[in-house]
């Protein structure tokens, strides 16, 4: 009974992540690359993303705090950030990155700062959701 | 049944170049899932190093110019050393946007090298810029993939590798004696 409930929970959480636009098809690609020889692939990639993006967030904060603002450097960091988030299928995060880059290209400092708050927010929301989701997936797979 | 050759023709070796840790992990998994042997490096200069080309060699192939001016590319001792050093790389897939040496720079260096110019090079980029894509294809890239790269993209690699493989077979006929076994397939 527990097993079924867990599996239903997993399915429902997963559906919701897609329906609410947090994840896109690229995440399915990650799931498809996971198999018996690489049973933790999705978790590994997600972990890599959060380690990498935390570093980038710090760099972007620093760049936004310096005067004058180096928009070239900012765009470079955000290009990397967007690339990574797109690679894991983090749809909302990627969209916020795109918005940021537009402000960056226009050298609109205020716009960048505002937009970056959005990026961080979506980044944090997805992190929480993925943690819970992947933990539930693990629990479901461990329940015989 | 097929032709009897010295080389084990079951696995192709792909050299993947990308400065992004996540994309490296992804491309490695995509390639391994498709039964390729993979070496992943994080820069163009590491790629050249792996092939046994240092940056100077790649810039102007002075050592090789004289030999190549009169002959078509034929396997020589030095070429073979370089291929051995590069551990038989059959295809290079590289990101375009990398700090220092871009994927395009790497492409140009590979194509200038007499040892490696025949290795197919594929470029990946997260940005869909037609002029960039055209330039890469015109300057010798076999394919241009938009990121995130899909399994369907990786499946497009095999024909380019098979083309290279039959070239290897042709050149190995010059140096080794082989019996052609005609097959019904």
């Amino acid at each position: 009974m527990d097993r079924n409930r867990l599996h239903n929970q997993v399915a429902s959480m997963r559906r919701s992540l897609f329906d609410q636009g947090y994840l896109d098809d690229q995440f399915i690609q990650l799931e498809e690359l996971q198999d018996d020889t690489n049973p933790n692939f999705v978790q590994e990639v997600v972990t890599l993303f959060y380690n990498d993006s935390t570093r980038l967030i710090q760099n972007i904060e620093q760049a936004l705090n310096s005067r004058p603002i180096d928009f070239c450097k900012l765009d470079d960091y955000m290009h990397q950030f967007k690339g990574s988030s797109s690679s894991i299928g983090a749809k909302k995060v990627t969209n916020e990155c795109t918005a940021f880059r537009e402000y960056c290209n226009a050298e609109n400092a205020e716009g960048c700062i505002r937009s970056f708050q959005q990026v961080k927010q979506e980044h944090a929301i997805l992190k929480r959701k993925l943690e819970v989701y992947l933990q539930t997936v693990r629990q479901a797979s461990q329940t015989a | 049944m097929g032709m009897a050759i010295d080389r084990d023709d079951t696995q192709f070796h792909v050299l993947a170049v990308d400065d992004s840790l996540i994309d490296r992990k992804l491309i490695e998994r995509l390639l391994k899932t498709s039964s390729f042997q993979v070496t992943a490096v994080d820069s163009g200069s590491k790629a050249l190093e792996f092939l046994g080309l240092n940056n100077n060699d790649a810039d102007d192939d002075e050592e090789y110019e004289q030999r190549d001016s009169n002959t078509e590319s034929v396997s020589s001792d030095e070429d073979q050393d370089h291929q051995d050093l590069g551990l038989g790389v059959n295809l290079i897939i590289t990101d375009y946007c990398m700090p220092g040496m871009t994927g395009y720079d790497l492409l140009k260096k590979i194509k200038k090298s007499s040892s490696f110019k025949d290795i197919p090079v594929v470029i990946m980029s997260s940005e869909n810029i037609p002029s960039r894509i055209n330039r890469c294809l015109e300057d010798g890239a076999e394919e241009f993939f938009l990121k995130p790269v899909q399994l369907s993209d990786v499946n497009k690699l095999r024909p380019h590798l098979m083309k290279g493989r039959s070239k290897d077979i042709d050149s190995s006929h010059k140096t080794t004696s082989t019996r052609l076994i005609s097959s019904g397939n």
Side-chain angles (χ1 to χ4, degrees):
Chain A
M1 214 36 200
D2 266 340
R3 183 169 177 270
N4 280 340
R5 192 170 51 208
L6 271 173
H7 279 274
N8 287 340
Q9 216 174 339
V10 166
S12 145
M13 286 172 93
R14 187 178 173 280
R15 201 166 35 239
S16 156
L17 283 167
F18 283 100
D19 287 347
Q20 290 173 19
Y22 288 103
L23 296 176
D24 64 28
D25 285 351
Q26 180 59 20
F27 191 81
I28 298 176
Q29 173 92 200
L30 298 184
E31 290 175 320
E32 286 178 353
L33 288 173
Q34 182 164 294
D35 60 20
D36 291 337
T37 63
N38 281 261
N40 300 311
F41 184 71
V42 176
Q43 178 66 74
E44 284 165 13
V45 176
V46 168
T47 303
L48 264 180
F49 171 70
Y50 276 103
N51 290 341
D52 200 47
S53 55
T54 301
R55 176 187 60 88
L56 282 168
I57 284 176
Q58 280 166 6
N59 290 340
I60 294 169
E61 297 272 24
Q62 239 176 351
L64 279 173
N65 285 332
S66 55
R67 297 287 177 276
I69 293 184
D70 185 344
F71 287 102
C72 238
K73 205 188 255 188
L74 263 181
D75 188 64
D76 193 42
Y77 288 139
M78 196 41 89
H79 169 84
Q80 292 178 54
F81 197 112
K82 184 182 167 186
S84 299
S85 64
S86 155
S87 289
I88 72 157
K91 192 174 181 183
K92 288 198 188 200
V93 177
T94 304
N95 288 342
E96 294 302 337
C97 290
T98 304
F100 181 97
R101 289 187 85 195
E102 277 168 25
Y103 286 116
C104 212
N105 288 336
E107 300 204 351
N108 180 342
E110 254 190 57
C112 282
I113 291 166
R114 262 196 332 264
S115 178
F116 188 54
Q117 297 313 309
Q118 292 293 102
V119 171
K120 282 192 292 186
Q121 194 172 36
E122 288 302 336
H123 180 261
I125 291 170
L126 180 64
K127 184 172 188 187
R128 262 198 326 272
K129 286 183 181 284
L130 281 177
E131 267 167 9
V132 175
Y133 170 66
L134 290 174
Q135 188 176 51
T136 314
V137 168
R138 262 195 309 276
Q139 282 175 331
S141 71
Q142 281 160 8
T143 313
Chain B
M1 288 289 246
M3 290 182 270
I5 52 170
D6 299 324
R7 196 192 297 267
D8 167 25
D9 64 345
T10 52
Q11 262 214 325
F12 290 115
H13 183 190
V14 178
L15 177 61
V17 192
D18 200 318
D19 62 314
S20 158
L21 189 49
I22 287 132
D23 287 348
R24 249 190 341 271
K25 187 170 174 78
L26 261 178
I27 195 71
E28 193 169 355
R29 187 83 198 100
L30 280 167
L31 290 166
K32 283 189 175 163
T33 293
S34 309
S35 304
F36 295 115
Q37 194 193 332
V38 188
T39 299
V41 297
D42 65 5
S43 71
S45 38
K46 293 240 179 88
L48 293 175
E49 213 179 286
F50 182 80
L51 291 169
L53 275 171
N54 61 46
N55 285 318
N56 295 331
D57 283 348
D59 271 334
D60 60 351
D61 260 324
E62 272 183 344
E63 298 169 59
Y64 304 108
E65 256 168 31
Q66 277 175 329
R67 193 187 64 241
D68 282 344
S69 58
N70 301 327
T71 64
E72 292 183 338
S73 61
V74 169
S75 279
S76 75
D77 281 350
E78 277 180 78
D79 273 349
Q80 207 51 48
D81 282 349
H82 273 287
Q83 262 294 17
D84 288 345
L85 257 175
L87 296 173
V89 169
N90 304 114
L91 183 137
I92 297 164
I93 182 163
T94 177
D95 186 26
Y96 183 95
C97 269
M98 296 187 292
M101 196 186 301
T102 66
Y104 179 74
D105 297 331
L106 179 61
L107 167 71
K108 297 292 274 179
K109 285 185 196 278
I110 303 277
K111 291 305 167 188
K112 267 201 203 129
S113 155
S114 53
S115 316
F116 296 106
K117 64 176 166 51
D118 289 331
I119 297 184
V121 180
V122 170
I123 310 239
M124 310 177 275
S125 175
S126 54
E127 289 167 321
N128 189 349
I129 300 172
S131 58
R132 170 186 293 184
I133 297 172
N134 288 329
R135 187 166 56 131
C136 290
L137 294 173
E138 277 164 17
D139 287 350
E142 303 289 338
E143 297 267 3
F144 193 104
F145 295 158
L146 281 175
K147 284 182 166 185
V149 176
Q150 312 284 299
L151 207 49
S152 52
D153 294 317
V154 173
N155 290 336
K156 292 183 195 162
L157 296 178
R158 214 159 268 275
H160 296 294
L161 288 157
M162 296 308 296
K163 203 169 54 187
R165 182 46 55 86
S166 59
K167 257 197 211 155
D168 288 342
I169 290 170
D170 282 345
S171 65
S172 81
H173 278 170
K174 291 177 185 154
T175 53
T176 64
S177 57
T178 56
R179 257 181 65 226
L180 222 89
I181 302 166
S182 63
S183 80
N185 302 338

